[in-house]
Amino acid sequence: MKQFEFTTLKLFMAVADGGSLTAAADKCNIAIAALSKRISDLEASAGTRFFERRARGMSLTPAGRALLQHAREIIYGVERMQSDLLLYSRGIHGLLRIAATASAVAEFLPQELQSFSHAHPGVAIDLSEGTSQKVVEAVLDGRADLGIFLEPVAGSGLVTFPYRRDALCIVVPRGHALAGRGRVRFADTLDYDHIGTQTQSSLSQKLMAEGGVDYRVRIRVGSVDAACRMVHAGLGICIAPRLIVENYQDCFSIALIELDEPWAARQMRVGARSKQGLSGAARAFLRCCVEAGEAELSRSAKDLSHEAKHAGAPHSYDPVFANEDPETAHE
């Protein structure tokens, strides 16, 4: 088999992502005939077909999906190398790529990033946001060194560790019929119009699954900030992470109510493709996140111990990750 060319792999990726020769040719500024020959030569060299040709486009074969994974690793690896070398030429000693959910970015990551940046001032940080599924895909594809996402994400295939936990709450306008209640079940909110976020998010997916046809979304917005503004305007109520919403209580006429559901407490995890393949900067930040998660577990243990002591019950909490090194944790 002939050696694969870097340019051909990039063209192959463009066809796979665009789903057609026309879309890929436009994106890569190449003639369709030339692109088609590149793909045909690639398949001939490998001795297998990478695409199923159809009237309305092209879809990957199993061999094509396997090649796509390898091509992404190669291309992103080269791009990462070029970016890292550019940083070194500018006096910066490394690059850390993190993909995280918007809730992680808004609630917790600034604390860990501040601590990490003080300890590693020569490392540049590239932070991107996405849904939990998109974060996992970014890590698997090599576009991010570490991902922070909400569990569960089906079939992630990552090495993961507990990070932080958050809790969902119900946000209503002040004076709303639900505002005087301390805890409310999700079913009791379905009589009201909801303000929803992007449908691909894990939260939206959960709410749609729990509410079914009774979950009425009047408006969809792109952020919790925008959702709170809509609630403030009296356009509906919303379900959102409490720690984020608390930032807007003084700005908007809103009230927060505890969501009385077992799924209202959410666990965030930090994950990587493997511990061994991480750069020094990524290993250091992973350790920072794991330690933050352990500290939170420890605080919860103390709270439980205090409650159990006053209730006369024995304390039996055992931290899952106590004193565990991310380098030796089991996959």
Side-chain angles (χ1 to χ4, degrees):
M1 182 168 57
K2 291 172 62 179
Q3 184 176 6
F4 287 0
E5 296 179 355
F6 184 73
T7 300
T8 300
L9 289 179
K10 293 187 73 172
L11 293 173
F12 163 79
M13 276 185 58
V15 176
D17 292 339
S20 73
L21 289 172
T22 302
D26 289 342
K27 179 181 178 181
C28 300
N29 194 27
I30 184 175
I32 294 178
L35 176 57
S36 179
K37 186 175 188 309
R38 286 265 196 171
I39 298 301
S40 297
D41 289 347
L42 180 65
E43 291 177 324
S45 174
T48 187
R49 295 177 65 185
F50 295 128
F51 291 100
E52 295 288 349
R53 275 77 169 173
R54 297 187 172 90
R56 295 188 176 181
M58 302 170 68
S59 60
L60 290 169
T61 64
R65 288 192 291 272
L67 177 59
L68 180 61
Q69 179 66 38
H70 290 296
R72 282 177 171 162
E73 292 176 6
I74 292 168
I75 291 169
Y76 291 134
V78 171
E79 291 176 348
R80 190 162 57 243
M81 175 190 69
Q82 292 172 335
S83 178
D84 288 350
L85 292 177
L86 179 61
L87 289 172
Y88 277 107
S89 71
R90 295 175 177 174
I92 299 174
H93 307 301
L95 175 63
L96 171 63
R97 294 177 175 86
I98 305 167
T101 61
S103 54
V105 173
E107 294 178 76
F108 305 115
L109 263 182
Q111 302 171 50
E112 272 66 76
L113 290 173
Q114 180 186 46
S115 173
F116 176 83
S117 295
H118 284 167
H120 305 275
V123 176
I125 298 170
D126 181 354
L127 175 61
S128 60
E129 291 185 25
T131 63
S132 291
Q133 189 62 49
K134 292 297 184 183
V135 167
V136 169
E137 290 172 2
V139 178
L140 289 174
D141 290 345
R143 288 175 283 132
D145 304 309
L146 297 171
I148 297 176
F149 53 92
L150 290 160
E151 65 177 19
V153 175
S156 74
L158 301 181
V159 179
T160 69
F161 304 87
Y163 176 46
R164 303 272 205 142
R165 290 176 293 176
D166 73 356
L168 298 173
C169 69
I170 306 165
V171 188
V172 301
R174 289 178 190 165
H176 190 274
L178 297 175
R181 299 170 59 175
R183 305 175 69 182
V184 173
R185 299 298 302 272
F186 180 57
D188 295 333
T189 72
L190 298 178
D191 291 333
Y192 306 95
D193 288 334
H194 280 245
I195 308 300
T197 53
Q198 53 185 315
T199 56
Q200 301 91 340
S201 71
S202 57
L203 176 55
S204 287
Q205 293 292 323
K206 181 64 175 177
L207 295 178
M208 288 188 289
E210 293 290 333
V213 295
D214 295 324
Y215 177 56
R216 303 194 311 268
V217 177
R218 184 177 185 183
I219 303 173
R220 286 204 179 274
V221 294
S223 67
V224 174
D225 176 9
C228 289
R229 292 177 184 274
M230 298 299 111
V231 174
H232 169 79
L235 296 172
I237 67 174
C238 75
I239 311 293
R242 186 179 192 95
L243 289 178
I244 299 179
V245 178
E246 286 176 347
N247 295 323
Y248 304 112
Q249 278 186 292
D250 294 335
C251 306
F252 304 129
S253 180
I254 57 176
L256 279 59
I257 308 165
E258 182 178 348
L259 179 61
D260 187 14
E261 297 293 344
W263 45 267
R266 308 189 301 173
Q267 176 69 58
M268 292 182 183
R269 301 190 73 83
V270 54
R273 290 176 61 188
S274 71
K275 299 184 294 293
Q276 292 74 20
L278 292 175
S279 66
R283 285 197 302 271
F285 189 72
L286 173 61
R287 183 183 298 277
C288 186
C289 291
V290 171
E291 289 175 351
E294 290 176 346
E296 187 173 74
L297 284 173
S298 179
R299 287 192 296 272
S300 297
K302 290 179 181 179
D303 291 342
L304 289 172
S305 177
H306 180 76
E307 292 176 6
K309 179 179 179 181
H310 286 275
H315 170 52
S316 58
Y317 180 82
D318 182 22
V320 177
F321 281 82
N323 300 319
E324 187 170 49
D325 188 336
E327 293 301 303
T328 59
H330 295 295
E331 298 187 13

